[in-house]
Amino acid sequence: MNTGKKNFAHTLESMDFLKMDRRTFLKAVGAVGATAFLGTYKTEIVSALEFAETKIVWLHGAECTGCSESLLNGGNPDIVQAITKLNVNIAYHETLLAQQGIFVDGRAANTSELNSEILVDELIEEGNYILVVEGAIANGPDGSGRYCIIGNRTFKELFEKAAKNASAILAVGTCAAYGGINCAASAIEEITDFRGVDFKKEDQSKGMLQELGISKPVINIPGCPAHPDWILLTLGAVILGKIKIPDDLSSLLDKYGRPKVFFPSGHTVHENCPRRGFYDRGEFDTDISGDKCLWKLGCKAPYAHADCGLRKWNGGNSMCTQAGSPCIACVEPGFPDCARPLYVEAEDKGVLLGANIDNVSKAAVGAAALAAGAHAVRRMKGDE
Amino acid sequence: MKTRKNETVVERYTVLDRAAHTIHAFAMVLLILTGLKIYAGWDFMSFHNARALHMIMVPILLAVNWIIIPYNIFSSSKGGVRNKIEHFMDHYIFGPEDAKRTVAILKNFFGKGEYPAFSIYDKEEGHYKTKLHPVMKILIVLEGTALFLIAVSGIVLYKLDWALFGLPVASWILSIGDLIGPALGLSSLQFFRLLHLLMTYWFVFELVIHVGILEFDPHVWKYYKAIFWTGKEDLSDKHFVKVLNKSSKKTYQDNERSWSDAEKAPVKD
């Protein structure tokens, strides 16, 4: 942690955490990060939460489990520390739990001690949990949801049941938030019809909740994968009551349901990119191995709203552009369509009938210049 | 308006017309150069200087186009609102006679027929009926549209949460982009960035057409002098000029009904 953050953390120590308002809380966790914040208030948080246990039901749809991995890779605090400090009960998480689905003659057998299918049903019946969804939800074919089946039922059916009883929903990762690569433009997009929890790409009317007619507050934590801090701090704020659901959501979230503190509407990744100085000097890399600005290699940082440049990844050590890879705007609702081709400058992308605005415009200007030359010759001759 | 010394020399452009055109040209060229520097990374100046210059030129260009030029247009004609609109339509909107002139200009380019007059002066009333090249009338409308689009897209490139008197203008603009961008596989911000670039190229294209074609003819060069310096046109130079007197005015009006005449014309069953 740099000196500025240390000083800020030191200042926070003199403040009463429990009397901190939501704005100050978010400012504090945004500025010092989960590590410093949870470290500074460890005792207070634990004592404040001793009486409370928050259940989390974490469902996986069409996804790669990258977001769970990202969460598990969270450095300091790691997931165990966070669970301990926040007094969280991750009651159901398909990748982490010991239970598995057991079916005999097509019916779930045994008890929730061993059978995950029975466990999730019991948890849903009990209610009073935060539902975390990772992965997109298949609606196809023809609204049946059969393109994603877990156990003996569609994920759509399981999600519907879980969403109805949830006290709040967190859609973690771009797949759960907006559909992500599952609903990328393709020949099978329509038939598979994958949806995000509350959105399909930029369109909220096509979110799975709307499809099912369920009205629940949703917080989207996009990213491919989502940053562990984004997940933990949002969960932490919800659990600690620093985000009052649903009252605070309208002021906290942007129009795509993302917490503005992590996904600032008024700023892009480009603004705090470690390579930004090269952009300002007009120095661009033309191959992937350089150390200059990656814009001409298709970097989408000027279009991506996230605090990657400030927060960094891998324990605050690096981020995509710093490691040499152009930003692919994975936090945007239109991802990956809006970022494709990933390594082609946005201005060089074919827009209408494959036409590239840059080249078409240059051709038009060139043609006009040629016409001007021909015109000049003709008129000059005519004057002789 | 005639000058005292020479009966055939009239005022084509007022001082304010000339100032507006010169400032417009200067600001536009600087905006194109600094904009392309920012986009392409040209190294003739620093990013910060280019950006600062770009942002200084924006209000200047917009003030000229959205305040001074409309003032010039509507203050140069007398009468009520109807007369002013009629004047605007006759002088700046491409009409049927302009279409005929354009065809004649094309034929003339290929050696057939005379170059038609587009600077028509009414000697009796002491003002121009119309004075712009017909293609210029098309360019002006397109330029006005392009200017609006580049200004709107420029707002979100300048500041994603720009607000005017507390109104979240940038947010509204991005919301409009959300309706269009995804259909093209673009995010709203990408759409506006591409639109901004496209409009920049449009202005370069327009500049080539305007300066390189419409004004690149030894006979047209008198208008350079007029728009940048003197503001005068000598009607005795018959290139592109037609002066209407009592007898010819009747013929002209029969050929070219003005906008207001067209409005008043009875509808035949």
Side-chain angles (χ1 to χ4, degrees), chain B residues 60-133:
Chain B
I60 294 174
L61 183 76
L62 295 185
V64 166
N65 276 277
W66 292 352
I67 299 171
I68 299 178
I69 291 177
Y71 172 79
N72 286 350
I73 290 172
F74 293 106
S75 65
S76 63
S77 58
K78 292 173 184 171
V81 174
R82 192 175 181 81
N83 284 347
K84 289 183 186 300
I85 292 174
E86 183 186 337
H87 167 84
F88 172 73
M89 299 296 285
D90 288 345
H91 278 68
Y92 298 99
I93 301 302
F94 189 90
E97 280 304 308
D98 292 305
K100 287 178 196 167
R101 287 185 194 115
T102 308
V103 172
I105 290 167
L106 280 171
K107 283 183 178 171
N108 172 262
F109 182 79
F110 293 106
K112 291 178 183 173
E114 291 294 309
Y115 202 114
F118 55 81
S119 187
I120 315 292
Y121 189 81
D122 186 334
K123 197 174 177 182
E124 196 182 1
E125 292 189 18
H127 63 73
Y128 284 95
K129 291 295 289 179
T130 180
K131 62 186 175 188
L132 291 181
H133 191 287

Side-chain angles (χ1 to χ4, degrees), chain B residues 83 86 88 98 127-128 168 184 197 213 225 240 251-252 259:
Chain B
N83 284 347
E86 183 186 337
F88 172 73
D98 292 305
H127 63 73
Y128 284 95
L184 303 169
L197 180 68
I213 298 181
K225 199 176 166 187
F240 320 119
T251 318
Y252 176 79
W259 175 76

Side-chain angles (χ1 to χ4, degrees), chain A residues 202 255-256 264-268 270-271 276 279-284 295-296 300 302-305 332 337-340 345-352 357-358 361-362 364-365 367-369 371-376 378-380 382-383, chain B residues 37-43 45-48 51 105 108-112 115 159-161 171 174-176 178 181-190 193-195 197-198 201-202 204-205 208-209 212-219 221:
Chain A
E202 294 91 345
K255 60 184 171 184
Y256 298 119
S265 308
H267 300 282
T268 62
H270 178 60
E271 291 167 35
R276 173 61 196 244
Y279 171 85
D280 289 358
R281 279 155 48 189
E283 294 182 29
F284 301 105
W295 186 14
K296 299 292 174 189
K300 306 297 185 302
Y303 314 110
H305 301 273
E332 291 306 303
D337 292 344
C338 72
R340 290 193 297 181
E345 189 184 344
E347 285 80 359
D348 288 341
K349 178 176 179 171
V351 176
L352 275 176
I357 280 183
D358 211 30
S361 302
K362 282 174 185 167
V365 172
H375 181 267
R378 173 73 182 86
R379 292 299 177 201
M380 292 299 194
D383 199 41
Chain B
K37 183 264 167 316
I38 292 168
Y39 165 62
W42 293 342
D43 57 3
M45 67 164 62
S46 76
F47 170 88
H48 300 287
R51 190 175 187 278
I105 290 167
N108 172 262
F109 182 79
F110 293 106
K112 291 178 183 173
Y115 202 114
K159 202 166 188 290
L160 287 165
D161 53 1
S171 180
L174 287 168
S175 297
I176 293 167
D178 279 332
L184 303 169
L186 302 167
S187 69
S188 178
L189 188 53
Q190 279 179 324
R193 195 163 174 131
L194 255 66
L195 185 64
L197 180 68
L198 183 66
Y201 278 124
W202 155 259
V204 178
F205 176 80
V208 174
I209 301 286
I213 298 181
L214 304 188
E215 310 295 337
F216 207 92
D217 182 330
H219 298 303
W221 291 345

Side-chain angles (χ1 to χ4, degrees), chain A residues 10-296:
Chain A
H10 185 69
T11 309
L12 289 175
E13 281 172 13
S14 60
M15 296 172 74
D16 184 349
F17 157 73
L18 292 174
K19 288 180 182 168
M20 208 180 270
D21 62 18
R22 177 180 56 77
R23 186 182 293 272
T24 314
F25 171 83
L26 286 172
K27 210 171 163 183
V29 294
V32 302
T35 313
F37 187 84
L38 294 177
T40 305
Y41 292 110
K42 181 180 171 185
T43 318
E44 283 180 72
I45 290 171
V46 172
S47 59
L49 293 171
E50 270 175 352
F51 57 91
E53 181 191 82
T54 308
K55 268 191 299 187
I56 294 202
V57 172
W58 189 305
L59 299 181
H60 295 249
E63 44 81 54
C64 64
T65 314
C67 293
S68 285
E69 278 198 43
S70 176
L71 183 67
L72 294 173
N73 282 333
N76 192 2
D78 61 28
I79 182 71
V80 177
Q81 287 172 315
I83 288 169
T84 313
K85 287 172 182 171
L86 294 172
N87 206 20
V88 166
N89 172 13
I90 299 189
Y92 185 84
H93 186 296
E94 281 157 12
T95 333
L96 301 178
L97 52 73
Q99 289 92 330
Q100 54 185 298
I102 304 166
F103 294 92
V104 176
D105 293 335
R107 289 187 170 190
N110 218 297
T111 66
S112 58
E113 291 289 312
L114 291 171
N115 193 327
S116 58
E117 295 295 311
I118 296 175
L119 173 66
V120 74
D121 282 336
E122 284 180 4
L123 288 168
I124 291 170
E125 288 299 317
E126 285 169 20
N128 193 29
Y129 55 86
I130 295 173
L131 174 64
V132 178
V133 181
E134 183 180 353
I137 306 149
N139 192 44
D142 304 322
S144 66
R146 281 186 286 112
Y147 275 121
C148 185
I149 292 181
I150 297 171
N152 63 349
R153 59 185 154 186
T154 64
F155 182 60
K156 180 182 174 183
E157 188 186 335
L158 176 61
F159 169 76
E160 181 179 12
K161 200 173 171 186
K164 277 180 180 167
N165 273 8
S167 47
I169 304 176
L170 256 69
V172 169
T174 303
C175 296
Y178 311 119
I181 58 169
N182 301 284
C183 63
S186 74
I188 58 163
E189 181 198 349
E190 211 169 302
I191 188 166
T192 51
D193 193 15
F194 279 101
R195 312 283 182 98
V197 171
D198 203 23
F199 283 81
K200 180 183 180 181
K201 298 180 181 174
E202 294 91 345
D203 190 349
Q204 192 167 17
S205 70
K206 289 183 180 168
M208 186 48 85
L209 287 178
Q210 285 70 29
E211 175 76 16
L212 297 169
I214 300 170
S215 176
K216 285 279 172 182
V218 178
I219 300 175
N220 287 327
I221 315 286
C224 192
H227 194 295
D229 278 5
W230 301 339
I231 306 170
L232 281 176
L233 291 172
T234 306
L235 265 176
V238 171
I239 291 167
L240 296 172
K242 291 298 171 183
I243 295 178
K244 300 270 188 302
I245 292 179
D247 301 348
D248 292 343
L249 295 187
S250 60
S251 62
L252 270 175
L253 308 181
D254 71 3
K255 60 184 171 184
Y256 298 119
R258 301 175 288 192
K260 286 188 262 192
V261 65
F262 305 127
F263 308 94
S265 308
H267 300 282
T268 62
V269 175
H270 178 60
E271 291 167 35
N272 293 300
C273 175
R275 295 175 182 240
R276 173 61 196 244
F278 290 106
Y279 171 85
D280 289 358
R281 279 155 48 189
E283 294 182 29
F284 301 105
D285 274 345
T286 49
D287 64 62
I288 210 82
S289 59
D291 57 3
K292 295 175 183 169
C293 176
L294 298 164
W295 186 14
K296 299 292 174 189

